[in-house]
């Protein structure tokens, strides 16, 4: 660079040229805080020397014109960054533009492209949105067939000699890591050659440059960095003011048009100007509130002192906050100049309201209070005394602050078909977030993200809003992320729901908008270099508006009329953080846990509606049951923390919903006393909270202490009858699965003793074994087995009931599931593994399953032995959370499935539109599907799987199998030895010995683990093998003895014959 400057400016001395080269070459690289330091060093090295930068006046003038034409505020530092990037690209053919989100990297690149005198075309791609093989191409080692890669195709086309003089830039808009970018080193150095895996060498021509637009260079190697020119763009140079100035341009345009009109009509009439004071008011409120609030949030600066900065629930930048505030104002302010803008007083209240839901909404609850208190001090307005989050500013009608529940007066109405899955109780939280969602997603039509802990109704609110949209104008798509979700899964899912319109333009059916709801957005696995591949693809699609075809042509697909909404957990505590550049594309609203009053209202409303026809005594305890439920829930949260062993101890509103789903199965002719309903509540609470606990100590704490104390406190006069044992509820006592024509009444009632349960299931087991297609099961239905059988039946009897059965091998998970399925009158589906069984085979099996689900409820039994690939659990996770496997059926497959539910759809009066019929099919199969997962708790496998696939816990009811109790071991041993010839006086001792040996091994295994840090599992399967081996050895030895006796007898006989 110094040589070039010397040749261009011969009038300057060498030290001045050297100073200019050092300064202009290094300044682009420095962060905001280092610029003054570097300038000081230059002054120390070259004291008294001052020389202006190389002008590039034409380019600078073009940049300024472009900024003004687009309505941007001209920021000297940003214009200077354009010049710095231009200068860097003169000396380097590869340049990296580095900086955090909101620094203006994209703007600088786009404006430089347009400001240059030469025509410049940009080819943009995200290198992390696909695999390295898809990026560079791959050579099949067997067939030697070459499959083109996205980058290889773009690189080749960019370096073809253009017909007219033009420049071409390849822009890598994505993370840089040590894998994909290392393959570019030969292009970035002086060789300028890309060598592909098939041996092809493509030269980077002089008219072609490479640009990288990245957040940071955390994973870039020194070899990569040394080959590139660097331009660092610091958000502190830009700030948030220019965005506000750009936003104000449209209001200033209306003001100018109004002025012009007033000038033209001043002879006829004196017009009152509305937009001029409105623009002045906006500027005033911005200066009054935004800078002080931003300083307080990020620096803790107040007028009196400097405090601790506020804590974020989910990280946001100052520009993100201002952007979201202005989007909210856009949704509330007049859309056309035909409407009058709000006056001074109303506008200030609207401004404060928008600030609360943009700046404070992403903070933790204590920080939210600190910021709202700060706003109260900053304004002279009369704000509501309660939390600003609990009030809505009615800017259209009353023009006062009113509580959210007064803004919406909707009451709870049970669904007509009484399906529990369709219940949604309107609360203050659902109303206000529904309104906010509608403002951003419905009016402004921009991406919206809800962030909150599990069970805070994020998904429910979004699904409810999406379901209310006009199906004639909208198409909905749900995508649930897990740790195994890849960008290809996401792209396939989206492409499955869009059609080709013309050329490279794709979208939903014409005249409709596709709403894509991404749930658990934080879940995709973070690779070695900090990227989540599906997030990289979505970021590219939302930001650029297109994706590349990945199967054939590799051409861009421009996707129109598509809108994204999402939900995720807050970062931290084992939850992945999402790329800040991606997150900044969304308006973010954080949902905290609802208050106890809100939760009480929700569940009291559900139970009150269900019990409205019951007698007054039963109706009178509605609020008390909800009070008892909340007490138990709080006890579980406080006393049952998650640990690596108790990884599934997650208690949220889903658990309360499962309790109330059980309570809603009660019938008024059976539960006609308050004691009977309280006993049902005790049963449901035990099933939901207690059955998932991993040891007897925890269960005793919940059942014998917590529940007992709560009943004693809330229902003191009913404690003794309610706490009486045994506690058995079921709806199978009238079941008769052997008679297909028999209609099971499914009367959910209390069963008085285990003998009645045992007799019922033994008779059903006998009938099960009589069916020719069933493999005979020799089961000993001891009390513990009957208990688990009752629990499994309780889960699968309800629509969308899925179970996770956890127990060591041989504990009866599969056998009991088969018997429960037969008792319920369902079909059973299991996959059959074969050599080379892959995901394609699994998908084919799932197609058969969904065909079965069209006509009859079916239990899908899936064990850990079936997990040939971890990708299988990705599909299971989707089945649990959405009821469907993404891209399972093509168009012909969908038509075939729709035809199978045609009669049911006609009966339900579903319209003939394909989308409505397909949605009816999805609802039908989801109601009929009951996934039962049988897993072993041995090792860390289950814990890791549940962390990677959250639906395994959130969408199932867990039943944890303990080791068999002594009476169970004894019953099994007696059954197995029943037909074995044993001395009757010794039989009981032999049985007791079996029990003693097995239980003692379990005790010694604990000492073994403490001393040697190694685990030994003594499972029911070991016990059954122990019994079978005993029977086999006893039989073998008896036969051996009998043979020897016979042999000696024959020998003696011969000896006697010889003696005679």
């Amino acid at each position: 660079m110094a040589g070039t400057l010397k040749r261009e400016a011969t009038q300057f001395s060498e030290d001045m040229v050297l100073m200019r080269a050092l300064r202009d070459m290094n300044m682009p690289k420095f962060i905001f805080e280092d610029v003054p330091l570097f300038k000081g060093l230059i002054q120390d090295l070259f004291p008294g020397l001052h020389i202006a930068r190389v002008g590039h006046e034409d380019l600078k003038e073009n940049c300024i014109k472009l900024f003004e034409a687009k309505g941007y505020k001209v920021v000297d530092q940003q214009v200077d960054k354009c010049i710095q990037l231009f200068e860097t690209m003169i000396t380097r053919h590869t340049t990296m533009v580095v900086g955090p989100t909101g620094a203006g990297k994209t703007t600088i690149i786009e404006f430089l492209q347009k400001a240059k005198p030469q025509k410049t075309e940009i080819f943009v791609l995200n290198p992390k949105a696909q695999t390295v093989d898809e990026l560079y191409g791959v050579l099949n080692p067997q067939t030697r067939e070459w499959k083109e890669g996205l980058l290889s195709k773009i690189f080749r086309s960019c370096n073809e000699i253009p017909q007219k003089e033009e420049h071409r830039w390849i822009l890598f808009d994505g993370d840089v890591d040590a894998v994909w970018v290392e393959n570019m080193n030969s292009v970035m150095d002086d060789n300028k050659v890309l060598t592909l895996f098939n041996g092809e060498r493509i030269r980077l021509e002089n008219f072609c440059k490479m640009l990288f637009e990245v957040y940071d260079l955390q994973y870039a190697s020194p070899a990569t960095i040394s080959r590139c020119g660097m331009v660092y763009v610091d958000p502190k140079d830009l700030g948030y003011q220019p965005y506000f100035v750009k936003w104000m341009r449209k209001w200033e345009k209306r003001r100018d048009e109004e002025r012009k009109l007033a000038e033209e009509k001043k002879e006829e009439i004196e017009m009152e100007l509305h937009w001029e004071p409105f623009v002045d008011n906006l500027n005033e409120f911005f200066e009054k509130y935004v800078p002080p609030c931003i300083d307080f949030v990020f620096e803790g600066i107040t007028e009196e002192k400097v405090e601790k900065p506020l804590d974020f629930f989910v990280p946001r930048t100052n520009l993100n906050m201002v952007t979201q505030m202005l989007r909210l104002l856009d949704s509330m302010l007049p859309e056309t100049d035909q409407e009058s803008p709000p006056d001074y007083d109303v506008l200030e209240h609207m401004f404060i309201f928008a600030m609360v839901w943009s700046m404070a909404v992403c903070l933790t609850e204590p920080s939210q209070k600190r910021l709202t208190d700060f706003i109260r001090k900053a304004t002279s307005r009369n704000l509501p005394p309660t939390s600003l989050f609990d009030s809505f500013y009615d800017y259209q009608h009353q023009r006062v602050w009113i509580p959210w529940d007064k803004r919406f007066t909707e009451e709870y109405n049970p669904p007509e078909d009484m399906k529990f899955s369709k219940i949604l109780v309107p609360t203050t939280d659902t109303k206000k977030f529904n309104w906010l969602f509608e403002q951003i997603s419905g009016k402004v039509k921009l991406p919206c993200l809800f962030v909150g802990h599990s069970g805070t109704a994020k998904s429910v609110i979004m699904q409810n809003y999406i379901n209310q949209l006009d199906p004639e104008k909208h198409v909905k798509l749900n995508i649930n992320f897990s740790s195994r979700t890849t960008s290809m899964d996401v792209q396939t899912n989206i492409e499955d729901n869009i059609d080709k319109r013309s050329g490279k333009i794709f979208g939903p059916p014409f005249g409709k908008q596709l709403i894509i709801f991404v749930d658990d957005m934080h879940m995709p696995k973070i690779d070695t270099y900090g990227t989540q591949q599906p997030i990289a693809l979505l970021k590219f699609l939302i930001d650029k508006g297109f994706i590349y075809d990945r199967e054939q042509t590799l051409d861009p697909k421009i996707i129109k009329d598509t809108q994204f909404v999402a939900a995720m957990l807050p970062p931290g505590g084992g939850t992945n953080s999402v790329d800040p550049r991606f997150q900044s594309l969304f308006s973010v609203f954080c949902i905290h846990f609802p208050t106890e009053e809100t939760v009480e209202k929700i569940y009291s409303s559900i139970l009150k509606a269900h019990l409205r026809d019951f007698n007054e005594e039963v109706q009178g305890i509605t609020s008390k049951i909800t009070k008892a439920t909340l007490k138990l829930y709080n006890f579980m949260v406080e006393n049952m923390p998650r640990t690596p062993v108790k990884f599934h101890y997650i208690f949220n509103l889903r658990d309360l919903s499962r309790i109330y789903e059980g309570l809603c199965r009660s019938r008024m002719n059976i539960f006609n006393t308050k004691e009977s309903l309280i006993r049902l509540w005790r049963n449901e609470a035990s099933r939901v909270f207690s059955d998932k606990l991993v040891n007897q100590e925890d269960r005793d704490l919940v059942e014998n202490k917590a529940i007992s104390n709560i009943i004693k406190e809330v229902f003191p006069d009913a404690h003794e009858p309610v706490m009486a044992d045994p506690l058995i509820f079921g709806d199978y006592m009238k079941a008769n699965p052997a008679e297909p024509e028999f209609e099971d009444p499914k009367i959910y009632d209390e069963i008085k003793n285990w003998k009645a349960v045992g007799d019922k299931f033994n008779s059903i087991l006998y009938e099960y074994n009589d069916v020719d297609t069933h493999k005979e099961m020799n089961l000993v239905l001891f009390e513990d087995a009957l208990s688990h059988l009752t629990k499994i039946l309780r889960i699968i009897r309800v629509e969308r009931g899925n179970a996770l059965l956890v127990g060591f091998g041989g504990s009866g998970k599969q056998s009991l599931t088969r018997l429960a399925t037969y008792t319920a009158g369902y079909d059973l589906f299991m996959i059959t593994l074969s050599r080379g069984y892959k995901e394609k085979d699994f998908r084919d099996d799932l197609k058969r399953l969904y065909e079965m689900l069209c006509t009859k409820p079916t239990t899908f039994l899936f064990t850990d032995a079936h997990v040939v690939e971890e990708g299988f659990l990705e599909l299971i996770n989707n089945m649990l959370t959405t009821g469907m496997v993404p891209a399972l059926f093509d168009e012909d497959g969908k038509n075939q499935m729709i035809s199978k539910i045609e009669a049911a759809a006609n009966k339900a009066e579903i319209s003939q539109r394909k989308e409505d019929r397909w949605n009816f099919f999805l609802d039908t199969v989801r109601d009929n599907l009951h996934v039962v997962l049988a897993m072993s708790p041995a090792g860390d496998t289950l814990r890791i799987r549940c962390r990677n696939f959250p639906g395994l816990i959130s969408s199932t009811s867990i039943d944890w199998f303990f080791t068999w109790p002594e009476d169970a071991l004894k019953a099994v041993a007696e059954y197995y030895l029943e037909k074995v010839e044993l001395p009757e006086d010794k039989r009981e001792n032999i049985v007791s010995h079996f029990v003693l040996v097995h239980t003692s091994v379990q005790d010694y295994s604990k000492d073994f683990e403490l001393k040697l840090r190694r685990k030994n599992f003594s499972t029911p399967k070991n016990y059954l093998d122990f019994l079978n081996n005993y029977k086999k050895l006893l039989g073998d030895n008896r036969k051996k003895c009998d043979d020897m006796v016979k042999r000696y007898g024959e020998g003696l006989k011969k000896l006697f014959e010889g003696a005679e």
Side-chain angles (χ1 to χ4, degrees):
M1 184 177 183
T4 305
L5 291 173
K6 178 67 177 172
R7 286 188 291 273
E8 290 178 356
T10 53
Q11 71 272 27
F12 295 123
S13 62
E14 287 195 359
D15 56 349
M16 295 187 78
V17 171
L18 179 61
M19 173 193 167
R20 176 188 267 185
L22 279 171
R23 184 191 64 201
D24 294 355
M25 198 66 190
N26 288 291
M27 278 286 283
K29 303 176 184 178
F30 293 120
I31 64 173
F32 181 81
E33 288 82 4
D34 288 347
V35 170
L37 182 63
F38 179 72
K39 286 181 177 177
L41 288 172
I42 289 287
Q43 288 299 316
D44 291 345
L45 286 170
F46 303 96
L49 283 182
H50 297 283
I51 185 169
R53 286 190 57 194
V54 177
H56 303 293
E57 291 301 327
D58 291 342
L59 182 66
K60 186 174 182 179
E61 190 175 330
N62 287 343
C63 285
I64 292 172
K65 284 180 181 177
L66 279 168
F67 275 105
E68 290 173 344
K70 291 281 187 181
Y72 285 72
K73 179 183 179 183
V74 179
V75 181
D76 292 340
Q77 291 93 330
Q78 199 166 28
V79 175
D80 196 40
K81 284 294 175 186
C82 289
I83 307 300
Q84 288 176 0
L85 178 59
F86 176 74
E87 291 175 342
T88 307
M89 292 180 74
I90 291 173
T91 56
R92 302 277 190 146
H93 58 273
T94 306
T95 306
M96 289 188 173
V97 183
V98 188
T101 181
K105 301 183 292 297
T106 305
T107 304
I108 289 165
I109 293 168
E110 289 178 357
F111 277 42
L112 178 60
Q113 173 207 4
K114 293 170 183 172
K116 286 180 66 204
Q118 303 90 349
K119 180 189 173 187
T120 305
E121 191 173 359
I122 295 181
F123 297 81
V124 61
L125 73 155
N126 188 327
K128 296 299 292 287
Q130 54 276 308
T131 62
V132 173
D133 284 348
E134 288 178 301
L135 193 63
Y136 288 104
V138 63
L139 187 69
N140 189 313
Q142 276 78 38
T143 63
R144 308 298 295 171
E145 180 185 359
W146 169 250
K147 184 179 179 183
E148 186 76 288
L150 177 59
L151 176 57
S152 59
K153 180 177 184 289
I154 291 174
F155 199 88
R156 188 183 292 107
S157 63
C158 280
N159 287 283
E160 292 173 354
I161 305 297
Q163 293 180 350
K164 298 179 181 178
E165 184 183 351
E166 69 174 19
H167 288 179
R168 292 171 183 163
W169 295 349
I170 302 174
L171 174 59
F172 299 95
D173 184 5
D175 297 341
V176 170
D177 68 31
V179 177
W180 78 265
V181 81
E182 290 297 319
N183 295 310
M184 300 290 291
N185 280 353
S186 61
V187 187
M188 294 188 288
D189 62 20
D190 292 339
N191 293 317
K192 298 174 70 173
V193 172
L194 176 66
T195 305
L196 302 176
F197 295 118
N198 63 348
E200 182 182 2
R201 293 162 64 85
I202 308 172
R203 182 169 183 79
L204 183 73
E205 302 294 344
N206 290 333
F207 55 79
C208 189
K209 305 276 188 183
M210 294 199 306
L211 272 171
F212 294 79
E213 185 181 341
V214 295
Y215 183 88
D216 60 32
L217 299 173
Q218 184 177 358
Y219 296 104
S221 67
T224 299
I225 294 173
S226 63
R227 287 171 162 83
C228 301
M230 291 288 164
V231 177
Y232 184 81
V233 188
D234 200 310
K236 292 178 182 175
D237 286 328
L238 189 63
Y240 51 85
Q241 295 264 4
Y243 185 86
F244 175 73
V245 171
K246 182 179 183 297
W247 182 77
M248 285 296 297
R249 296 283 193 238
K250 61 184 177 186
W251 308 115
E252 290 168 356
K253 184 181 177 183
R254 291 190 189 181
R255 177 197 63 189
D256 296 341
E257 289 172 353
E258 188 184 51
R259 275 182 185 170
K260 185 179 178 183
L261 187 63
E263 188 67 29
E264 290 172 357
K265 294 188 175 182
K266 69 179 180 180
E267 301 294 334
E268 305 169 18
I269 188 172
E270 187 176 344
M271 280 183 59
E272 185 181 353
L273 299 178
H274 297 288
W275 291 102
E276 186 163 349
F278 171 76
V279 169
D280 294 339
N281 294 342
L282 276 176
N283 283 315
E284 179 188 335
F285 297 145
F286 184 85
E287 291 301 325
K288 178 180 178 181
Y289 291 111
V290 176
C293 285
I294 293 291
D295 289 344
F296 181 63
V297 170
F298 288 94
E299 307 292 338
I301 298 172
T302 65
E303 290 182 356
E304 300 87 15
K305 56 183 177 179
V306 177
E307 302 176 5
K308 179 178 176 287
L310 304 190
D311 298 317
F312 282 90
F313 192 68
V314 58
R316 301 290 277 165
T317 67
N318 53 17
L319 180 59
N320 293 156
M321 290 179 159
V322 173
T323 304
Q324 184 166 321
M325 180 187 77
L326 299 182
R327 286 174 182 172
L328 263 178
L329 283 172
D330 271 333
S331 72
M332 296 189 289
L333 291 171
E335 295 181 20
T336 65
D337 53 7
Q338 304 301 318
E339 304 171 64
S340 296
D343 61 28
Y344 185 90
D345 295 337
V346 173
L347 184 60
E348 185 167 8
H349 283 290
M350 290 171 69
F351 205 91
I352 292 170
F353 178 77
M355 281 176 55
V356 169
W357 288 104
S358 56
M359 295 186 183
V361 74
C362 292
L363 304 173
T364 59
E365 289 184 273
S367 293
Q368 283 182 347
K369 186 175 185 312
R370 284 178 62 192
L371 182 56
T372 52
D373 288 346
F374 181 83
I375 293 171
R376 288 178 193 277
K377 289 179 183 176
T379 184
S380 57
R381 296 291 170 185
N382 187 21
L383 299 180
T386 56
S387 169
L388 295 181
F389 289 98
D390 294 336
S391 298
F392 168 78
Y393 183 69
D394 187 2
Y395 58 93
Q396 290 176 311
H397 304 106
Q398 301 178 45
R399 301 190 174 186
V400 292
W401 291 84
I402 56 174
W404 280 102
D405 50 6
K406 296 280 179 64
R407 168 78 167 78
F408 303 95
T409 54
E410 182 185 0
E411 292 297 324
Y412 167 64
N413 293 310
E416 292 179 8
D417 54 9
M418 299 306 291
K419 287 187 177 181
F420 198 84
S421 58
K422 293 184 180 179
I423 286 177
L424 178 69
V425 180
T427 66
T428 303
D429 287 340
T430 60
K431 291 169 187 173
K432 65 188 177 187
F433 284 108
N434 207 44
W435 184 86
L436 291 162
F437 186 37
E438 184 180 358
Q439 296 300 107
I440 297 296
S441 186
K443 286 191 176 181
V444 189
K445 299 198 180 303
L446 289 169
C448 186
L449 170 65
F450 280 2
V451 182
H453 289 290
S454 182
T456 48
K458 306 181 296 296
S459 306
V460 172
I461 294 169
M462 287 198 164
Q463 292 280 16
N464 181 55
Y465 173 77
I466 294 169
N467 290 338
Q468 289 174 354
L469 296 173
D470 184 359
E472 297 290 334
K473 297 180 181 178
H474 299 88
V475 180
K476 60 182 180 181
L477 169 62
N478 291 346
I479 302 177
N480 270 72
F481 279 1
S482 77
S483 67
R484 296 279 300 186
T485 305
T486 64
S487 63
M488 181 59 90
D489 295 332
V490 179
Q491 185 160 335
T492 305
N493 217 336
I494 294 173
E495 288 175 345
D496 197 39
N497 288 270
I498 57 175
D499 305 318
K500 185 170 183 176
R501 291 184 176 177
S502 63
K504 296 177 181 178
I505 298 176
F506 293 75
F510 195 76
K512 293 189 175 183
Q513 188 174 43
L514 175 62
I515 308 290
I516 300 176
F517 172 39
V518 182
D519 205 358
D520 290 329
M521 195 174 72
H522 63 284
M523 276 304 300
K525 182 181 178 183
I526 297 178
D527 67 18
T528 313
Y529 303 103
T531 305
Q532 293 168 292
Q533 195 188 75
I535 298 293
L537 178 81
L538 285 181
K539 191 257 175 196
F540 188 80
L541 173 57
I542 296 173
D543 198 15
K544 308 299 180 186
F546 70 92
I547 51 177
Y548 288 98
D549 178 75
R550 292 165 73 169
E551 294 296 332
Q552 298 168 346
T553 64
L554 303 178
D555 288 336
K557 289 182 172 182
I558 301 166
I559 299 179
K560 298 285 189 182
D561 299 328
T562 304
Q563 192 175 341
F564 287 85
V565 295
M568 71 175 197
L569 297 183
T575 304
N576 299 334
S577 297
V578 174
D579 177 12
R581 293 188 70 200
F582 176 63
Q583 203 170 285
S584 67
L585 300 173
F586 289 82
S587 293
V588 180
F589 298 100
C590 297
I591 304 180
H592 298 284
F593 277 112
T595 61
E596 198 159 301
E597 293 78 17
T598 303
V599 177
E600 192 169 342
K601 179 191 173 186
I602 293 171
Y603 292 105
S604 291
S605 300
I606 294 172
L607 193 56
K608 189 176 180 181
H610 174 71
L611 299 177
R612 62 180 178 268
D613 295 328
F614 285 55
N615 64 49
E616 290 184 8
E617 181 189 10
V618 174
Q619 289 186 38
I621 61 169
T622 304
S623 59
K624 287 188 174 182
I625 284 182
T626 306
K627 181 181 176 184
T629 308
L630 291 177
K631 281 181 175 292
L632 180 59
Y633 168 72
N634 291 330
F635 176 87
M636 299 301 294
V637 171
E638 292 167 11
N639 294 278
M640 300 288 165
R642 286 177 76 185
T643 67
V645 176
K646 303 171 183 179
F647 56 88
H648 60 290
Y649 277 25
I650 302 169
F651 305 103
N652 52 44
L653 299 189
R654 289 191 185 96
D655 296 306
L656 304 191
S657 297
R658 290 185 184 118
I659 292 175
Y660 278 75
E661 186 171 18
L663 290 172
C664 288
R665 296 177 70 190
S666 58
R667 300 189 184 185
M668 64 178 178
N669 60 328
I670 295 169
F671 294 89
N672 48 22
T673 65
K674 68 175 185 179
E675 287 79 13
S676 60
L677 190 67
I678 300 167
R679 278 185 68 78
L680 175 62
W681 172 82
R682 178 192 162 202
N683 176 72
E684 299 307 309
S686 297
R687 299 292 69 77
V688 170
F689 286 125
S690 183
D691 287 353
K692 66 167 68 174
L693 305 180
V694 300
N695 55 51
Q696 194 59 49
E697 291 79 8
D698 285 356
R699 287 197 182 176
D700 289 341
L701 184 64
V702 172
E703 293 181 1
N704 300 334
K705 184 180 176 183
I707 293 179
S708 177
N709 290 344
I710 289 168
I711 290 173
K712 191 179 291 184
E713 180 185 342
V714 181
F715 309 103
D717 54 334
H719 181 264
E720 191 172 331
V722 170
M723 289 305 297
D725 287 327
L727 183 70
I728 315 164
F729 280 82
D731 61 356
Y732 48 77
M733 291 306 287
K734 294 188 182 299
N736 189 6
E739 294 291 334
E741 301 300 320
F742 177 77
E743 188 175 341
D744 189 351
K746 298 181 183 178
I747 299 171
Y748 198 50
D749 193 5
E750 182 168 7
I751 305 161
K752 297 303 178 186
N753 54 62
W754 287 113
K755 184 180 184 305
V757 177
D759 292 344
K760 181 65 179 177
F761 279 123
N762 278 313
S763 80
I764 292 175
L765 178 61
Y766 180 79
E767 292 167 359
Y768 177 92
N769 289 332
D770 263 359
V771 179
D772 294 336
T773 55
H774 290 169
K775 183 181 177 182
E776 186 175 345
M777 293 194 298
N778 294 316
L779 299 182
V780 183
L781 295 177
F782 47 84
E783 192 176 301
D784 194 54
L786 293 172
S787 173
H788 286 294
L789 192 50
T790 302
K791 293 170 185 177
I792 296 168
L793 256 170
R794 173 187 167 275
I795 295 167
I796 66 173
R797 277 287 206 178
V798 298
E799 288 178 343
R800 308 189 183 191
N802 305 303
L804 172 60
L805 311 181
V806 185
F808 291 108
S811 53
K813 302 185 293 296
Q814 293 187 52
S815 302
L816 295 177
T817 300
R818 291 173 192 274
L819 188 56
T821 300
Y822 177 71
T823 305
Y826 299 169
D827 287 339
L828 182 74
F829 181 85
M830 288 182 72
I831 62 173
T832 305
L833 298 180
S834 56
R835 176 174 289 187
Y837 191 92
K838 298 290 184 184
E839 186 174 319
K840 182 180 180 299
D841 306 291
F842 188 44
R843 282 179 171 268
D844 290 340
D845 281 339
L846 291 179
K847 287 178 184 176
R848 291 194 297 110
L849 168 63
Y850 278 96
E851 200 169 329
M852 294 167 61
L853 289 167
C854 291
T855 54
K856 191 177 181 182
T858 303
T859 300
F860 176 27
L861 178 56
F862 189 82
T863 72
D864 39 14
H866 292 146
V867 188
V868 180
E869 300 175 3
E870 289 293 308
F872 287 9
L873 289 173
E874 166 72 6
L875 305 186
I876 295 289
N877 187 70
N878 277 296
M879 292 171 72
L880 290 169
T881 51
T882 66
M884 176 48 70
V885 174
L888 184 64
F889 296 104
D890 55 16
E891 284 304 312
D892 292 338
K894 286 183 178 180
N895 292 332
Q896 188 180 351
M897 291 298 112
I898 289 171
S899 67
K900 290 185 179 296
I901 51 95
E902 190 167 0
N906 292 335
K907 187 178 178 182
E909 299 180 353
I910 304 298
S911 77
Q912 293 294 328
R913 291 173 61 253
K914 185 180 176 182
E915 291 87 354
D916 292 339
R917 294 269 161 150
W918 178 247
N919 289 333
F920 180 75
F921 163 76
L922 292 178
D923 286 338
T924 302
V925 297
R926 193 171 185 189
D927 288 343
N928 286 343
L929 174 64
H930 302 281
V931 180
V932 178
L933 305 171
M935 301 288 178
S936 169
D940 291 332
T941 306
L942 180 62
R943 176 173 62 84
I944 293 168
R945 285 173 177 169
C946 287
R947 185 184 67 204
N948 291 341
F949 306 100
L952 300 189
I953 290 178
S954 65
S955 299
T956 61
S957 296
I958 301 173
D959 184 14
W960 200 281
F961 285 61
F962 290 170
T963 54
W964 284 351
E966 289 192 13
D967 61 331
L969 296 171
K970 187 176 180 181
V972 171
E974 288 172 347
Y975 176 81
Y976 268 72
L977 301 177
E978 187 178 10
K979 295 180 181 177
V980 178
E981 187 182 338
L982 293 172
E984 289 304 320
D985 59 328
K986 302 292 184 186
R987 182 179 291 272
E988 189 175 339
N989 290 341
I990 292 170
V991 168
S992 299
H993 179 72
F994 276 109
V995 175
L996 176 66
V997 169
H998 186 74
T999 53
S1000 64
V1001 170
Q1002 292 173 344
D1003 295 335
Y1004 284 119
S1005 294
K1006 295 175 185 175
D1007 294 337
F1008 183 74
E1009 184 181 358
L1010 287 172
K1011 290 177 181 176
L1012 299 179
R1013 296 287 186 271
R1014 288 165 58 193
K1015 287 184 178 290
N1016 177 61
F1017 298 106
S1018 176
T1019 68
K1021 181 73 168 63
N1022 300 140
Y1023 185 64
L1024 298 178
D1025 291 341
F1026 183 23
L1027 290 166
N1028 285 324
N1029 286 338
Y1030 173 76
K1031 285 169 67 176
K1032 184 176 180 297
L1033 287 171
L1034 183 63
D1036 290 348
N1037 281 301
R1038 280 182 171 171
K1039 186 176 182 300
K1040 187 177 177 182
C1041 290
D1042 289 345
D1043 289 345
M1044 289 176 69
V1045 168
K1046 186 177 178 183
R1047 181 182 170 193
Y1048 284 124
E1050 288 295 323
L1052 286 170
K1053 186 178 177 183
K1054 295 292 183 186
L1055 288 173
F1056 284 131
E1057 287 175 359
E1060 290 174 359

